[in-house]
Amino acid sequence: MFYKLFKFLLVTALVILLLGAGVYFSLNEPIPPSKAGSKAEELTQKMLKAINYTNYKKVRYLEWTYNEKNHYKWDKLKGHVVVKWEDIEVQLNLNNYAKSEVFIGGVKMHTDPKEALIEKATSYFKNDSFWLVAPFEIMDPNVQRHFVELEDGSEGLLVTYLDSEQKPENTYLWLLNEDGFPNSFKMWTKKNPIGGLKASWDEWKVTRANIFLPSKHKLWLQTIKLTNLEAYN
């Protein structure tokens, strides 16, 4: 009886392993060849113009809800973000995280779990804001931009984010329409073992500040929704 159970578990594990390997090799892509220089910068400016980057730089406040769970109000000018989920509110100070404040059920925290919740809110904000404003961040100092000639003859913009030691961390290949508007990107990130997975940037909304913000992303195994979108001064 034990032998039959062991044999069944072993066969099941092998099948899962083979299926996993099959999925990996069928989906995994290497980062494509690319070139830095004038073509990359021209394509960058074309993309930024399409999403109205000039207006984005003037925007002070951004508000949104990530997957109906995490709620944000970001004051870009002061570098403050109010992050809310469940009965928790963290007032993040992006310039000095030690000065951030935490409230649970409206009660201000001075001890544990204050630090843990600040770290959690910071992680939430970094992830959830990326899915909102990543196209606007491609001119940041820690970003390298490269031109890619795609197989169908169209042009792609490869952006690589550098870590604190100026080493490549995460890379994204933006796929644009003829006007330079971003429709999707492919990802090569440390958190994802499969390189080149595609995520759409869909259902863009025009805010009162006259900038475009996405409200939906379709990935391989999930959908990300951004609601309550606001951008204003």
Side-chain angles (χ1 to χ4, degrees), residues 8 18 20 25 45 53 69 91 97 140 201 205 213 228:
F8 171 78
L18 289 172
F25 285 110
Q45 293 306 314
Y53 177 66
K69 295 178 181 179
Q91 298 179 3
Y97 288 106
D140 286 1
W201 285 66
K205 307 295 183 184
L213 293 175
N228 303 317

Side-chain angles (χ1 to χ4, degrees), residues 67-110:
N67 271 350
E68 301 180 352
K69 295 178 181 179
N70 302 336
H71 310 277
Y72 299 90
K73 183 176 180 179
W74 179 10
D75 184 337
K76 289 170 56 194
L77 180 63
K78 288 189 175 181
H80 291 174
V81 188
V82 177
V83 187
K84 296 181 180 179
W85 71 95
E86 298 175 354
D87 65 340
I88 298 167
E89 176 179 319
V90 179
Q91 298 179 3
L92 275 181
N93 187 323
L94 301 179
N95 302 311
N96 187 343
Y97 288 106
K99 293 184 177 180
S100 301
E101 296 182 341
V102 177
F103 300 83
I104 300 179
V107 178
K108 187 174 181 178
M109 298 289 103
H110 298 280

Side-chain angles (χ1 to χ4, degrees), residues 101-128:
E101 296 182 341
V102 177
F103 300 83
I104 300 179
V107 178
K108 187 174 181 178
M109 298 289 103
H110 298 280
T111 57
D112 291 341
K114 179 182 176 181
E115 296 304 320
L117 290 175
I118 290 174
E119 289 184 11
K120 192 171 188 178
T122 302
S123 177
Y124 280 162
F125 173 70
K126 288 180 177 179
N127 177 78
D128 301 356

Side-chain angles (χ1 to χ4, degrees), residues 13 22 42 100 224:
E42 288 173 7
S100 301
I224 295 173

Side-chain angles (χ1 to χ4, degrees), residues 29 47 127 129-135 137-138 150 156-159 161 170-176 181-189 192 195-202 204 214 217-220 224:
E29 297 179 13
M47 176 176 168
N127 177 78
S129 64
F130 178 84
W131 289 104
L132 182 73
V133 299
E137 297 178 337
I138 60 176
L150 303 173
L157 181 62
L158 192 77
V159 298
Y161 291 78
N170 296 320
T171 296
Y172 303 86
L173 175 61
W174 285 100
L175 305 175
L176 317 174
F181 205 89
N183 293 322
S184 60
F185 63 32
K186 292 186 175 183
M187 302 176 283
W188 291 265
T189 67
N192 198 328
L197 286 183
K198 193 173 183 179
S200 70
W201 285 66
D202 296 323
W204 291 76
H217 305 283
K218 295 179 181 178
L219 289 75
W220 181 41
I224 295 173

Side-chain angles (χ1 to χ4, degrees), residues 9-25:
L9 292 175
L10 180 61
V11 171
T12 301
L14 287 172
V15 169
I16 293 173
L17 182 63
L18 289 172
L19 287 174
V23 169
Y24 175 82
F25 285 110

Side-chain angles (χ1 to χ4, degrees), residues 195-231:
L197 286 183
K198 193 173 183 179
S200 70
W201 285 66
D202 296 323
E203 299 182 20
W204 291 76
K205 307 295 183 184
V206 181
T207 67
R208 60 176 124 159
N210 196 26
I211 65 170
F212 290 94
L213 293 175
S215 64
K216 191 175 184 180
H217 305 283
K218 295 179 181 178
L219 289 75
W220 181 41
L221 294 176
Q222 65 173 315
T223 297
I224 295 173
K225 294 182 179 180
L226 306 174
T227 54
N228 303 317
L229 295 173
E230 289 286 354

